[in-house]
Amino acid sequence: MTVSTVRVRPPEGVRDQIRRWRSLPDARLLAFVALLTVLAGLAVPLAGFLLAAGLAVVALLAVVAWRPILATYLYLLALPFITGMKRGMLIPQVRLNEALLGLLLVGACLGGYLRLLRGERLVPRFTALDGPLVAFVVLSTAWPLAWLMLRGEAPLFSDMTAVFPVVKLVALFLLVRLTVHTDAQVLRCVRLIGWTGAVVALIAILQTLRFGPVVAMLTALWPDESGLVVERGTSLLGSPIATGDYIVISLALVVSCGLRGLLHPWERLVLGCVLGTGVLAAGQFSTWIAALVAAVVLLRRHPEARRRAVRFLPLAGLALLVGAPAFIGRLSGFGDGFGVPRSWLGRWDNLTTFYLPELGGFRFLLGVSPNSVLQAPETWREQIFLESGYLQFLWVGGVPLLLAFCWLSVVVLRTTRRLGARGDAVGACAAALEIAWWMVLVLSLIDIHIVLRGAGDLLFTLLAITARRSDDR
């Protein structure tokens, strides 16, 4: 779905209001926002946190209504630093990034309404990607809840929250789709993803090197996972799997832009070194598999990259040296006497004991439940997670959802292969999306990576940018 701007004649009753609104210069609106920001700062000691937060929210809405593209920029800038916050940590039953996305969407919609008053209208134009995407979304959200009710069961709150990540990703998709229009805006999004990804990688590197302040900060945020904090690169995403996916997707985007000459040489060098080291620092087997998949797809699409890669071998050695602690720590899991890491044995035991029996009796045809998290019968753990992406599709939406994902994958890969030949920022995003989607296809054998925190947001951001140009020839 792409939008174009069409001039229409507004109703008579609002023309004076439109003229007054048009006469408001940007400087006055900015002054109003600045005043609200100052008042928010003063309100903290004088009137308390709630009033200050309210003024900050109004200022945010005003800025986004003034320039809706800022909503996308602000979300991408904050994404890797707030997404890992646990649900309900600051706002009851809501993650901080979900609350921010909701506010940004309200501001962007307000800006769209004001432009409608000015005589502009958004006319949607559907593209080849929209059909399979709609099918995937409906079968991921509405169908599991409907099938649950058709079986005579009332959906629980946990069922609602289980399908919410897909709803959030679709909302982000629409925000990016409707606000990112020009190549310059696409390149700014690329830089935001690349540099915030580098910060994520740097945090992961420092924590695996056991840098005191970073370890103390992460331990304070996740006290229950203090052991994991020093063994693997969890970063502020709070998960080594999510951190690894975020770093690999960011690295794929940086390399795709570098091959097209869209970034400064020093920018490519700094981002490549930090992100490449972060791949090892994540300390996750899935991350290393993802990096291998990314390399294969990249070298197959860009054979000339093989010659350039030779020049970066010394930097690769440096990255290996810095990321070695996490890498060696993970490999040591093969020496515990079990032949493979214990976590792999636990994963297999969960599948064969709790999930595969429930999928039997042809229950996999239409799905078992929207929520794949089970309550553990043991006392040493509280919950059990389904660690297989394709089984997750069957558990949530049955064969229809799995087929919808396959349909979406075929269209995405076909579109990205065509658009990836472009030499601009959109071509770089399409090439990175192709790499990321192949990662999802491979890694879904072991986890549900398409909705992974942070990485799923990047995936749908790239999908929105690519979808807007999917009908271009």
Side-chain angles (χ1 to χ4, degrees):
M1 181 183 65
T2 306
V3 297
S4 57
T5 302
V6 178
R7 289 283 180 181
V8 296
R9 189 176 181 82
E12 292 285 344
V14 298
R15 287 186 185 176
D16 292 337
Q17 178 183 354
I18 295 173
R19 278 192 287 269
R20 287 195 299 270
W21 183 80
R22 280 178 173 170
S23 67
L24 178 65
D26 289 346
R28 289 174 59 186
L29 181 57
L30 287 176
F32 171 69
V33 173
L35 177 62
L36 286 176
T37 304
V38 172
L39 290 176
L42 294 174
V44 173
L46 297 178
F49 175 77
L50 289 180
L51 178 59
L55 291 173
V57 166
V58 174
L60 179 63
L61 292 176
V63 168
V64 172
W66 169 57
R67 289 287 187 271
I69 183 59
L70 294 177
T72 297
Y73 294 160
L74 288 172
Y75 187 78
L76 291 177
L77 180 63
L79 173 63
F81 311 115
I82 63 175
T83 303
M85 303 298 178
K86 292 183 179 180
R87 187 178 300 276
M89 179 177 288
L90 295 178
I91 304 173
Q93 304 299 333
V94 177
R95 288 185 182 272
L96 193 55
N97 69 304
E98 295 169 353
L100 176 62
L101 180 59
L103 284 176
L104 294 174
L105 284 169
V106 170
C109 290
L110 178 61
Y113 174 70
L114 293 176
R115 284 157 180 76
L116 181 64
L117 293 180
R118 294 180 61 180
E120 299 178 8
R121 186 178 63 182
L122 297 177
V123 180
R125 180 168 63 89
F126 290 90
T127 65
L129 273 171
D130 294 314
L133 181 60
V134 169
F136 176 76
V137 171
V138 170
L139 291 170
S140 298
T141 56
W143 165 245
L145 296 174
W147 177 232
L148 196 67
M149 291 185 287
L150 287 173
R151 301 201 311 263
E153 302 178 36
L156 303 175
F157 180 76
S158 58
D159 297 321
M160 301 291 187
T161 57
V163 302
F164 186 74
V166 176
V167 176
K168 181 209 69 176
L169 292 176
V170 172
L172 175 61
F173 173 88
L174 293 174
L175 176 66
V176 177
R177 183 79 167 268
L178 297 175
T179 58
V180 179
H181 302 298
T182 67
D183 288 343
Q185 291 172 342
V186 173
L187 190 55
R188 290 190 195 103
C189 291
V190 167
R191 282 196 160 97
L192 283 171
I193 293 172
W195 282 105
T196 55
V199 175
V200 170
L202 182 60
I203 294 174
I205 294 167
L206 291 175
Q207 72 178 104
T208 54
L209 293 177
R210 306 198 176 190
F211 183 65
V214 173
V215 173
M217 175 189 67
L218 296 176
T219 303
L221 290 173
W222 292 278
D224 297 335
E225 301 177 1
S226 57
L228 189 63
V229 164
V230 295
E231 293 176 0
R232 309 184 206 174
T234 59
S235 75
L236 288 171
L237 288 168
S239 165
I241 301 176
T243 297
D245 277 17
Y246 201 100
I247 292 172
V248 173
I249 294 175
S250 300
L251 181 59
L253 187 57
V254 169
V255 172
S256 297
C257 288
L259 291 172
R260 291 164 174 78
L262 299 176
L263 300 176
H264 299 295
W266 67 267
E267 199 172 9
R268 299 197 299 264
L269 181 63
V270 172
L271 291 176
C273 287
V274 176
L275 290 168
T277 308
V279 170
L280 292 175
Q284 196 68 30
F285 287 110
S286 63
T287 301
W288 304 332
I289 296 172
L292 179 61
V293 172
V296 170
V297 175
L298 186 67
L299 293 176
R300 184 175 180 182
R301 292 284 178 262
H302 302 277
E304 70 278 6
R306 301 171 190 173
R307 296 187 298 272
R308 298 187 187 182
V310 176
R311 292 180 291 177
F312 295 99
L313 288 179
L315 296 176
L318 177 63
L320 181 61
L321 180 64
V322 176
F327 184 73
I328 295 173
R330 287 295 284 158
L331 291 182
S332 64
F334 287 95
D336 289 342
F338 297 95
V340 296
R342 290 186 182 184
S343 60
W344 294 12
L345 298 176
R347 183 189 298 255
W348 177 251
D349 183 66
N350 289 338
L351 289 177
T352 56
T353 304
F354 299 102
Y355 288 103
L356 291 179
E358 291 295 325
L359 286 168
F362 297 101
R363 284 188 290 269
F364 68 91
L365 291 177
L366 298 176
V368 177
S369 170
N371 185 18
S372 63
V373 180
L374 303 178
Q375 296 302 311
E378 304 93 349
T379 57
W380 55 273
R381 59 176 176 175
E382 295 181 357
Q383 295 177 322
I384 303 172
F385 298 93
L386 176 52
E387 296 176 290
S388 172
Y390 293 110
L391 290 181
Q392 175 92 6
F393 292 139
L394 294 176
W395 183 279
V396 173
V399 173
L401 176 56
L402 181 59
L403 292 177
F405 173 72
C406 294
W407 181 24
L408 177 62
S409 298
V410 169
V411 177
V412 167
L413 294 176
R414 184 185 301 158
T415 302
T416 53
R417 183 170 186 175
R418 176 169 50 83
L419 292 181
R422 297 171 55 138
D424 56 4
V426 174
C429 289
L433 177 60
E434 181 184 22
I435 293 171
W437 207 271
W438 275 112
M439 283 169 43
V440 169
L441 288 173
V442 173
L443 295 179
S444 290
L445 292 169
I446 53 177
D447 270 308
I448 182 71
H449 283 253
I450 193 171
V451 293
L452 205 59
R453 71 178 75 161
D457 298 78
L458 291 189
L459 198 66
F460 274 73
T461 297
L462 296 176
L463 185 62
I465 293 173
T466 304
R468 183 176 178 82
R469 307 292 181 88
S470 61
D471 286 344
D472 293 355
R473 299 290 178 183

